[in-house]
Amino acid sequence: MKRTIRHIQIAVSIIAALSACKKTEEVVVINTPMTVVAMAPSEVKDSQVTMHGEITTSNKEEILDVGFILSETKQSGSTILQEISAGKQKLINGKTVDLTLTVKEPFDLDLIYQYVFYVKTAKGFYKSQPVRFNVDNINVTDNKLVLAYLGETVLFKGNFKQFKENYYLIADGNTEQRLAFTLKDNKTTLAVTLPKSGYYHGNKLAITLQKPLNGREYVSSKQLIETKIVAKITEPSKNSFAFNEGIQINGIGLPQYGYADDLFLLIDDQRIPFTNNLFFRQIAKLKGESFRLGYANGRDSIYFDKEILLEQPSADNITLATTLTHPDCMIEATGIDFYKYFGDEISKILVGNSAATGFIGNNGNSTYLTIPNNLQDGKYAVTLTSGLSTVTSKQKVEVKRLHWDAINQNIFFSGDTAQLTGNFYNTVGYNLEFSGGNAVYNSELKNNLVSFKIPQLRPGQYKIKTYYHGYYDSKKYYAPEEKTIEIKMPIISDFSPHTITSEYAIILEGKGLSNEFKFYIGGQEVYAYTLNENERIINIPQGIKPGKYKVWMDTNYGKVEAKTLLEIQ
């Protein structure tokens, strides 16, 4: 029995607790305020307005009535004109209450009105914040988007009879930017002059009516029409341009970033996207040496009166820096701005009628081209073509294959200078090749005379040939001539002084000397320093005893002795 009573007590406690929880929740809901809002009116006419209200947060209070309170707003405060009931309604969050009111007396055009949305319940009265409105019949008949230029006076048809002297127009909501306007045709035409700057192609510019109300305390704004700015491009100040010379495009309302979806340049019958700098190389199908230039901005398509002319380079200005050369050698052309007339590269180069290769130098003031390797001896003009530009030099380059006809001597020591005469040009580097594969590069070239230093080679006879390297593939181009020369064994011709007392060195003279040789006094190796090609300074060893000694050197090819003995006293 006690256990049963205990179970009943626990059950009663749980029920009581649950009941308490339920009551607490109901109180919270009842005490939560109801939130209502009023929204902007629609269909505002002389004597009629449609008002809109909404419950955004409801509770479980019973709704007895909903409606609107219409007031007139003045400088001294607001005066209630009318309370309009929409009746008892069951509303949920987000449901709109719409009510159209027709007043007996037309709304005053110079006054500001307001209304609030209200909800009455058994426990409360809830009101929204007021929404203001005023009434006018000023409007533009055709509301389509108007395309216009900056500074242009645009005409709008509509009803502007209610315009008053203190009304004004502003651009794009900027109260500091008032627009000049006039009313025409018995106030059925509004002529508005747009700003001259501050907007760019594609920008939309709203024309807004500003109506001071209640004196100057309030200003009512009403957007009449929206315009879209289109660019106007002016005719270039000059009408002659080179192939790669920029045609600066100027005008008003041009795009800030050099691009716009519906702005095009017209080149003859082509349309290309707008660019601030137009180059001939951007025009894919241009033919001839002139074209009509214009633009299309989405409203107008306009061509300028003057044709644009292609300026060609003058052949009189082309100078060939080299007029004598060999096949597969490079020459330089100067005298014009090659970038200006040809762009980044020259698409076609001819030497005579043979195709050649080349490139424009970094500064654009030079073009370097390679003479074709299959050209026969002769004189040839150079023709350069790229894009729409072609020029043929009046100067001609004389191309000759390499030949030589004489050498200064037939017998040499290593270190001697061999001089060859032939058609050697100072813009080409030449090599002298010895049978066996050894070769040396020219050290001096002057007046068809090229000099080579005979290298350190084993004494004997050698066949010699001359050649130069082609520019691109380093191919060797040999002169057909070949000659045999003799390189003699190095010699010591003399030394001085012959007798040493207090000196510490002697000067040795010879031919074919080399720093690779070893020098001796008697049987003792000594240090040798180069004085010049044919002389060496020989240090006398410390502690050497008085006497007469041989002076000799050990070459790579054998022992060479001086004819005179060195006497040390």
Side-chain angles (χ1 to χ4, degrees):
M1 185 69 177
K2 290 182 178 179
R3 181 178 296 176
T4 302
I5 294 171
R6 176 64 174 167
H7 288 169
I8 293 171
Q9 289 174 340
I10 292 172
V12 169
S13 299
I14 292 172
I15 292 169
L18 291 173
S19 300
C21 291
K22 186 174 182 181
K23 288 179 181 179
T24 302
E25 289 176 357
E26 289 176 352
V27 170
V28 170
V29 172
I30 292 172
N31 291 336
T32 299
M34 189 177 293
T35 305
V36 297
V37 296
M39 291 166 289
S42 60
E43 301 297 326
V44 180
K45 300 178 181 179
D46 287 350
S47 303
Q48 191 178 81
V49 62
T50 299
M51 300 173 286
H52 308 280
E54 179 186 315
I55 295 176
T56 56
T57 305
S58 62
N59 53 32
K60 293 191 176 182
E61 295 182 47
E62 180 184 1
I63 297 176
L64 303 178
D65 184 29
V66 298
F68 298 88
I69 300 173
L70 178 67
S71 303
E72 178 186 295
T73 301
K74 295 183 178 179
Q75 193 168 1
S76 58
S78 60
T79 302
I80 295 176
L81 299 178
Q82 192 173 352
E83 182 176 320
I84 309 98
S85 173
K88 183 177 181 180
Q89 298 187 27
K90 186 175 182 180
L91 299 177
I92 60 174
N93 295 354
K95 183 177 179 181
T96 303
V97 176
D98 306 310
L99 190 148
T100 298
L101 171 66
T102 301
V103 294
K104 294 180 180 180
E105 297 292 334
F107 291 111
D108 191 324
L109 301 179
D110 283 340
L111 295 181
I112 295 177
Y113 297 89
Q114 70 178 33
Y115 63 82
V116 298
F117 175 57
Y118 72 81
V119 176
K120 290 182 182 179
T121 71
K123 295 184 178 182
F125 183 78
Y126 304 95
K127 290 194 307 181
S128 70
Q129 291 295 320
V131 172
R132 291 176 177 172
F133 70 93
N134 71 291
V135 182
D136 68 58
N137 283 328
I138 298 174
N139 60 76
V140 175
T141 305
D142 188 354
N143 287 318
K144 70 179 181 181
L145 187 65
V146 176
L147 305 182
Y149 297 108
L150 288 174
E152 183 179 9
T153 298
V154 186
L155 301 179
F156 301 102
K157 290 292 184 179
N159 181 5
F160 310 108
K161 295 183 183 297
Q162 293 181 356
F163 254 76
K164 297 186 178 181
E165 290 184 0
N166 61 341
Y167 290 4
Y168 56 93
L169 301 177
I170 62 172
D172 214 29
N174 183 359
T175 57
E176 301 298 322
Q177 191 171 24
R178 296 194 180 189
L179 301 176
F181 70 93
T182 56
L183 293 170
K184 302 179 179 181
D185 305 329
N186 195 27
K187 294 188 177 181
T188 61
T189 301
L190 175 65
V192 183
T193 301
L194 300 184
K196 293 182 179 180
S197 62
Y199 299 89
Y200 306 94
H201 181 91
N203 290 165
K204 290 184 178 179
L205 187 154
I207 298 174
T208 302
L209 171 65
Q210 298 289 93
K211 301 190 303 180
L213 303 176
N214 292 339
R216 290 187 177 273
E217 183 182 4
Y218 302 110
V219 174
S220 172
S221 295
K222 177 182 180 179
Q223 181 174 313
L224 294 181
I225 193 71
E226 191 172 53
T227 63
K228 183 179 180 181
I229 299 302
V230 293
K232 177 183 286 187
I233 297 176
T234 56
E235 189 166 3
S237 57
K238 68 172 188 170
N239 69 324
S240 178
F241 297 88
F243 173 72
N244 196 42
E245 183 180 7
I247 304 174
Q248 181 65 44
I249 306 299
N250 299 309
I252 59 173
L254 298 183
Q256 281 181 287
Y257 305 107
Y259 175 78
D261 288 335
D262 54 354
L263 182 61
F264 297 90
L265 295 177
L266 304 177
I267 296 92
D268 286 342
D269 58 352
Q270 299 181 63
R271 289 163 63 97
I272 68 170
F274 171 80
T275 176
N276 290 109
N277 281 285
L278 175 68
F279 296 86
F280 280 89
R281 55 181 168 80
Q282 294 174 268
I283 307 168
K285 300 176 183 178
L286 184 63
K287 296 180 180 179
E289 297 187 356
S290 65
F291 65 87
R292 294 184 305 151
L293 176 65
Y295 65 96
N297 57 19
R299 190 185 97 168
D300 302 314
S301 293
I302 297 172
Y303 281 96
F304 300 124
D305 294 334
K306 293 181 180 178
E307 286 192 330
I308 299 298
L309 306 177
L310 172 65
E311 179 185 322
Q312 294 285 4
S314 172
D316 292 332
N317 296 331
I318 299 290
T319 300
L320 301 180
T322 303
T323 55
L324 288 169
T325 193
H326 305 303
D328 207 14
C329 287
M330 177 176 283
I331 66 171
E332 180 186 13
T334 61
I336 63 171
D337 184 341
F338 291 93
Y339 282 153
K340 176 180 175 181
Y341 290 103
F342 299 102
D344 294 332
E345 62 180 5
I346 299 174
S347 59
K348 184 177 180 182
I349 301 175
L350 295 177
V351 179
N353 295 320
S354 298
T357 57
F359 60 91
I360 298 175
N362 289 335
N363 58 11
N365 294 324
S366 297
T367 287
Y368 299 91
L369 58 101
T370 302
I371 301 298
N373 60 11
N374 59 350
L375 278 185
Q376 299 300 315
D377 288 3
K379 294 183 179 182
Y380 302 93
V382 174
T383 301
L384 308 175
T385 299
S386 185
L388 301 171
S389 297
T390 297
V391 62
T392 299
S393 66
K394 290 187 176 181
Q395 266 187 311
K396 292 186 177 182
V397 58
E398 185 173 1
V399 179
K400 287 186 177 181
R401 297 185 180 276
L402 177 60
H403 290 279
W404 63 282
D405 52 24
I407 188 168
N408 60 330
Q409 60 195 55
N410 297 321
I411 299 175
F412 296 91
F413 288 96
S414 295
D416 285 349
T417 298
Q419 293 180 326
L420 278 66
T421 56
N423 62 329
F424 298 105
Y425 308 128
N426 58 11
T427 56
V428 181
Y430 300 95
N431 294 270
L432 183 66
E433 184 178 274
F434 299 83
S435 52
N438 292 296
V440 290
Y441 185 75
N442 69 279
S443 58
E444 184 179 358
L445 202 160
K446 185 178 181 182
N447 297 330
N448 294 323
L449 181 72
V450 65
S451 299
F452 298 95
K453 184 177 179 181
I454 300 297
Q456 191 62 233
L457 295 175
R458 179 175 293 277
Q461 290 189 335
Y462 293 87
K463 290 181 179 181
I464 59 171
K465 295 187 292 185
T466 58
Y467 67 89
Y468 62 91
H469 288 284
Y471 178 74
Y472 278 109
D473 56 6
S474 293
K475 178 181 176 181
K476 294 179 180 179
Y477 291 88
Y478 287 89
E481 293 79 17
E482 186 177 281
K483 189 174 182 61
T484 299
I485 65 169
E486 181 181 359
I487 297 179
K488 297 185 68 65
M489 185 74 177
I491 63 170
I492 297 175
S493 54
D494 198 2
F495 62 85
S496 64
H498 292 161
T499 301
I500 294 294
T501 53
S502 59
E503 290 86 357
Y504 295 99
I506 61 173
I507 296 177
L508 182 145
E509 300 173 8
K511 289 283 189 178
L513 303 181
S514 170
N515 292 333
E516 296 178 2
F517 296 169
K518 294 181 180 180
F519 293 84
Y520 295 85
I521 293 179
Q524 189 169 350
E525 185 178 355
V526 293
Y527 292 106
Y529 302 96
T530 300
L531 186 60
N532 54 51
E533 189 69 41
N534 296 317
E535 292 184 320
R536 298 292 186 272
I537 297 175
I538 305 296
N539 284 345
I540 304 300
Q542 291 184 357
I544 192 170
K545 294 180 179 180
K548 292 184 178 182
Y549 296 89
K550 289 182 179 180
V551 178
W552 59 283
M553 60 185 177
D554 184 8
T555 71
N556 296 329
Y557 333 112
K559 182 177 180 181
V560 176
E561 296 181 353
K563 294 179 180 180
T564 305
L565 295 177
L566 171 65
E567 182 178 0
I568 299 177
Q569 296 180 344

